[in-house]
Amino acid sequence: SQQGEEDPQALSIQEGENATMNCSYKTSINNLQWYRQNSGRGLVHLILIRSNEREKHSGRLRVTLDTSKKSSSLLITASRAADTASYFCATRSNYKLTFGKGTLLTVNP
Amino acid sequence: EAGVVQSPRYKIIEKKQPVAFWCNPISGHNTLYWYLQNLGQGPELLIRYENEEAVDDSQLPKDRFSAERLKGVDSTLKIQPAELGDSAVYLCASSFTPPLAGGQNANTGELFFGEGSRLTVL
């Protein structure tokens, strides 16, 4: 079963624009993580935000977490063609990490 | 540092044949996961090991799937017999899980994934 649900399912933008992806989940969590997957490859961890944190930055990434709404957002600023990939949120509850269905981001040069 | 290594990368078999996937986690990682990923979907957990113990195999279809992690390092996932619906990517991941200290560990962190094994059942 998949707890997280990303929105939108697909997003197409121009290079240099910002990309925002949202994730909603259903049960209480310890932390929430975002992963990237290039076509035909494994997943790569991007950023982790704990349940007691509200915002976190890493380079061009900004993640927010609203536990009252059970939602998170991932913002990628100044996007590049190399950012083209699928992005997954994953919620950690106890020791279980559950992934959403992902957002396919296409950044056009 | 070497990442998570999986083999084979690709496997094509006929239905009812057996197939096995192998995973070598990152050195020192005590937790190993096998995930199933269907096309256009997120990974779904099949089994999680803490050292050599399978601590969560609730989503593993035990009639045809089996897994082992001898000596708490490498792991093998087997399907016998394979069915058409088993066509998917099988992902292995590892992480270091610190000992529980008085409650849930909110710092339990990231997973490191291998490149996956893509199975096609004809």
Side-chain angles (χ1 to χ4, degrees):
Chain A
S1 62
Q2 297 182 300
Q3 163 161 235
E5 194 157 322
E6 290 88 343
D7 171 59
Q9 288 187 322
L11 179 62
S12 182
I13 60 174
Q14 295 299 122
E15 212 166 19
E17 293 180 341
N18 295 341
T20 299
M21 288 159 268
N22 302 297
C23 171
S24 59
Y25 58 93
K26 297 174 184 173
T27 62
S28 62
I29 61 172
N30 301 117
N31 64 55
L32 186 144
Q33 303 175 32
W34 285 90
Y35 288 78
R36 183 188 74 228
Q37 185 177 35
N38 290 88
S39 181
R41 308 296 295 273
L43 281 77
V44 175
H45 182 266
L46 295 175
I47 194 165
L48 178 154
I49 186 165
R50 300 187 183 95
S51 59
N52 60 354
E53 296 176 317
R54 292 297 167 258
E55 188 170 313
K56 202 161 183 180
H57 297 253
S58 177
R60 293 185 296 114
L61 305 180
R62 172 178 169 253
V63 171
T64 62
L65 178 64
D66 186 334
T67 53
S68 67
K69 295 181 179 178
K70 292 188 169 59
S71 67
S72 173
S73 67
L74 172 67
L75 170 66
I76 304 174
T77 60
S79 63
R80 306 165 182 169
D83 294 329
T84 294
S86 291
Y87 291 81
F88 296 90
C89 72
T91 52
R92 169 81 70 176
S93 181
N94 296 319
Y95 287 98
K96 189 163 187 174
L97 192 65
T98 307
F99 289 83
K101 295 184 179 181
T103 292
L104 177 60
L105 173 65
T106 303
V107 181
N108 302 298
Chain B
E1 178 183 294
V4 176
V5 179
Q6 289 188 247
S7 69
R9 284 294 315 276
Y10 305 93
K11 188 75 176 178
I12 301 174
I13 61 172
E14 295 194 344
K15 63 181 180 182
K16 300 185 182 179
Q17 294 300 305
V19 64
F21 306 111
W22 174 80
C23 174
N24 180 237
I26 291 174
S27 177
H29 281 189
N30 54 350
T31 307
L32 184 146
Y33 312 76
W34 283 102
Y35 281 88
L36 164 72
Q37 187 176 26
N38 288 304
L39 188 64
Q41 302 292 314
E44 297 182 53
L45 181 68
L46 289 173
I47 189 168
R48 174 171 65 90
Y49 283 94
E50 295 289 346
N51 300 302
E52 56 278 326
E53 182 184 359
V55 294
D56 184 356
D57 63 356
S58 57
Q59 300 304 310
L60 189 72
K62 298 180 184 63
D63 57 336
R64 297 184 300 106
F65 286 65
S66 64
E68 60 182 13
R69 191 184 184 198
L70 301 176
K71 301 180 182 178
V73 182
D74 295 2
S75 177
T76 303
L77 176 69
K78 297 178 182 177
I79 309 174
Q80 183 170 10
E83 296 179 351
L84 295 176
D86 296 331
S87 295
V89 177
Y90 293 84
L91 294 164
C92 179
S94 70
S95 68
F96 175 69
T97 303
L100 197 61
Q104 294 180 5
N105 188 336
N107 296 319
T108 308
E110 63 185 284
L111 270 61
F112 294 80
F113 281 84
E115 298 284 20
S117 294
R118 180 178 296 275
L119 173 66
T120 301
V121 182
L122 303 176

